[in-house]
């Protein structure tokens, strides 16, 4: 019996190992995403301190992303992932121990997210560049789709688990679970036997490698327009969900961690449906589809209170098609650097977005954040259709 196209990549042993490890890591990360804001609030933190947490994480990630991409194109990507997973496990484990000991302070959390952001800056380009080494090119879209599906399952289950753990055992328990998932993921990746591409060694510096990655991006219009054009859209998403959603739940609705977990999980349901659907279909005009899903994401923000699953559906379809386009059109020996430029450009406004969102929320209320972010996303993605390089991207 022919398997559904979306699960074909699981036939490949190495991809299965990476997928299993990353699914566990994502589950733990979504558990911690509930723990961090509620830990800040429990320690007496305000909206600005909550925003500062996200700003520090994003700033740290941006500082190291370009270096991380260059390193991912120089060293075995499998080993780089193992090192970053172990480092992330140690960081979150330390937060769990400090919390259990009753000595955890807000500045500890700031240091933790700064270190975690640095680790992420190396792992993200390594994972994105490793996928083409694990599955054939013709199933890259299903491969990214099933990765997206595991992310969405984690987004659905993680916040619920995190909310229950925070409510009944405290944030430290959530941090402890997250640490365990990182260690198990590192073990899974250890058993991968990747087939790295062989590239002739050239005596270039790290700076030259980074410059080469930027040169490739800016020589390809659909790449640089989407990467840097989406920096403002991503800033709106970060502000709405990192700052706006916890405040919406606690201040506007008067609810707690459990409600926050279930509301966050609603996005995951839409993302799971989107990942399943996009992995089953063949799309020729990928650029048009990517930007249509971008518009739909903006509409999802505007209608978040009524249809929270819509934003999850559109966002994951955008992400799967975008990642597959990168993996198909970017030379494999440069994929780590281009992926890091992608994340760098997309997160360029990330450090200021949570602070701006906190100030905006104090002035106009949390619901206004979602409306503003949705309008920005719709307007900018509609402009993308004016460019032939996007309309013709296949």
């Amino acid at each position: 019996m022919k398997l559904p196209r979306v699960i074909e990549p699981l036939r490949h042993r190495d991809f299965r190992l990476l997928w299993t490890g990353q699914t566990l890591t994502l589950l733990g990360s979504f558990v911690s995403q509930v723990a961090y804001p509620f830990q800040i609030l429990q320690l007496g933190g305000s909206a600005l301190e909550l925003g500062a947490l996200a700003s520090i994480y994003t700033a740290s990630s941006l500082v190291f992303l370009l270096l991380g991409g260059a390193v991912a194109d120089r060293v075995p990507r499998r080993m780089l992932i193992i090192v970053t997973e172990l480092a992330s496990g140690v960081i979150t484990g330390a937060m769990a121990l400090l919390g259990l000991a009753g000595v955890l302070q807000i500045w500890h959390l700031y240091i933790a997210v700064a270190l975690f952001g640095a680790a992420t800056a190396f792992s993200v380009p390594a994972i994105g560049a490793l996928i083409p080494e694990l599955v054939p090119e013709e199933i890259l879209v299903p491969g990214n789709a099933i990765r997206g599906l595991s992310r969405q399952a984690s987004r659905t289950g993680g916040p619920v688990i995190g909310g229950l753990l925070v409510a009944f055992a405290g944030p430290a328990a959530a941090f402890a679970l997250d640490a365990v998932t990182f260690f198990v993921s590192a073990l899974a990746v250890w058993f991968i036997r990747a087939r790295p591409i062989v590239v002739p060694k050239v005596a270039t510096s790290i700076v030259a490698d980074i410059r080469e990655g930027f040169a490739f991006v800016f020589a390809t219009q659909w790449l640089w327009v989407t990467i840097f054009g989406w920096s403002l859209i991503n800033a709106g998403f970060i502000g709405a969900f990192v700052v706006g959603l916890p405040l919406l739940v606690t201040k506007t609705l008067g609810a707690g961690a459990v409600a926050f977990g279930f509301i966050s999980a609603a996005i995951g349901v839409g993302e799971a449906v989107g990942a399943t659907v996009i992995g089953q279909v063949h799309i020729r005009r990928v650029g048009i589809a990517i930007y249509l899903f971008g518009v739909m994401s903006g509409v999802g923000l505007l209608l978040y209170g009524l249809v929270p699953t819509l934003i999850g559906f559109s966002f994951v379809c955008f992400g799967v098609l975008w990642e597959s386009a990168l993996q198909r059109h970017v030379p494999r020996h440069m994929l780590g650097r281009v992926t890091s430029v992608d994340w760098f450009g997309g997160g360029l406004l990330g450090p200021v977005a949570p602070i701006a969102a906190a100030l905006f929320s104090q002035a106009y209320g949390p619901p206004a954040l979602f409306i503003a972010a949705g309008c920005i996303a719709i307007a900018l993605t509609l402009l993308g259709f004016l460019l032939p390089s996007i309309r013709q991207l296949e």
Side-chain angles (χ1 to χ4, degrees):
M1 184 176 68
K2 183 176 175 60
L3 292 173
R5 186 168 180 261
V6 72
I7 65 173
E8 283 185 21
L10 292 180
R11 292 178 180 270
H12 299 266
R13 170 190 176 274
D14 288 344
F15 181 86
R16 258 194 332 268
L17 286 167
L18 179 67
W19 179 79
T20 301
Q22 287 303 297
T23 300
L24 290 172
T25 294
L26 287 167
L27 179 67
S29 295
F30 281 114
V31 168
S32 279
Q33 281 184 18
V34 179
Y36 275 109
F38 279 90
Q39 182 69 82
I40 290 283
L41 295 174
Q42 283 184 16
L43 293 173
S46 64
L48 283 175
E49 286 170 307
L50 187 61
L53 188 79
S55 294
I56 291 170
Y57 168 80
T58 308
S60 174
S61 180
L62 284 175
V63 167
F64 291 99
L65 258 173
L66 299 178
L67 176 61
V71 171
D73 284 339
R74 281 176 170 249
V75 305
R77 290 154 180 169
R78 167 182 159 273
M79 290 305 301
L80 186 57
I81 295 169
I82 292 172
V83 170
T84 55
E85 294 289 79
L86 290 174
S88 298
V90 171
I91 294 164
T92 51
M95 293 304 97
L97 292 174
L98 289 172
L100 290 171
V103 296
L104 185 64
Q105 299 180 37
I106 291 178
W107 68 269
H108 292 140
L109 297 173
Y110 288 165
I111 292 176
V113 295
L115 294 174
F116 189 68
T120 303
F122 288 88
S123 65
V124 164
I127 293 170
L130 183 65
I131 300 300
E133 299 177 9
L134 307 182
V135 296
E137 181 178 330
E138 60 270 17
I139 58 172
L140 280 176
V141 171
N144 289 315
I146 199 165
R147 285 178 62 220
L149 188 59
S150 69
R151 177 181 177 83
Q152 310 347 316
S154 300
R155 182 186 281 276
T156 302
V160 175
I161 296 171
L164 293 172
L165 280 174
V166 170
F168 296 105
F175 293 138
L177 177 61
D178 191 15
V180 171
T181 63
F182 279 118
F183 293 135
V184 175
S185 175
L187 182 63
V189 176
W190 176 265
F191 290 103
I192 288 177
R193 296 189 295 268
R195 298 172 296 282
I197 187 171
V198 178
V199 180
K201 294 294 182 182
V202 181
T204 59
S205 66
I206 288 286
V207 173
D209 286 353
I210 294 173
R211 189 183 301 120
E212 185 183 15
F214 269 103
F216 181 88
V217 168
F218 281 105
T220 311
Q221 187 188 61
W222 63 268
L223 259 178
W224 71 261
V225 166
T226 305
I227 288 173
F228 293 97
W230 267 74
S231 61
L232 186 58
I233 297 174
N234 285 335
F237 278 96
I238 291 170
F241 288 105
V242 173
V243 176
L245 189 55
L247 295 176
L248 185 71
V249 171
T250 57
K251 306 297 183 184
T252 304
L253 301 180
V258 175
F260 178 83
F262 277 99
I263 292 172
S264 299
I267 304 173
V269 173
E271 290 184 339
V273 174
T276 303
V277 171
I278 204 68
Q280 292 293 114
V281 299
H282 293 274
I283 296 177
R284 183 187 171 201
R285 295 291 185 182
V286 175
I288 293 175
I290 287 172
Y291 273 73
L292 282 174
F293 285 122
V295 173
M296 192 183 296
S297 296
V299 174
L301 273 178
L302 290 176
L303 301 177
Y304 184 74
L306 298 176
V307 193
T309 54
L310 177 61
I311 189 172
F313 177 89
S314 53
F315 210 65
V316 75
C317 290
F318 176 97
V320 167
L321 292 177
W322 175 251
E323 257 192 298
S324 302
L326 290 181
Q327 292 164 353
R328 183 173 288 115
H329 294 287
V330 176
R332 280 178 58 184
H333 72 279
M334 295 180 61
L335 191 51
R337 281 166 285 172
V338 173
T339 300
S340 70
V341 174
D342 176 27
W343 280 73
F344 178 84
L348 205 53
L349 298 177
V352 299
I355 303 298
L359 296 173
F360 189 91
S361 178
Q362 287 179 344
Y364 303 103
L369 278 176
F370 290 90
I371 296 172
C375 291
I376 291 171
I378 293 170
L380 292 183
T381 48
L382 285 174
L383 288 175
F385 289 110
L386 299 176
L387 299 177
S389 64
I390 289 172
R391 298 197 305 270
Q392 295 167 9
L393 179 62
E394 297 185 356

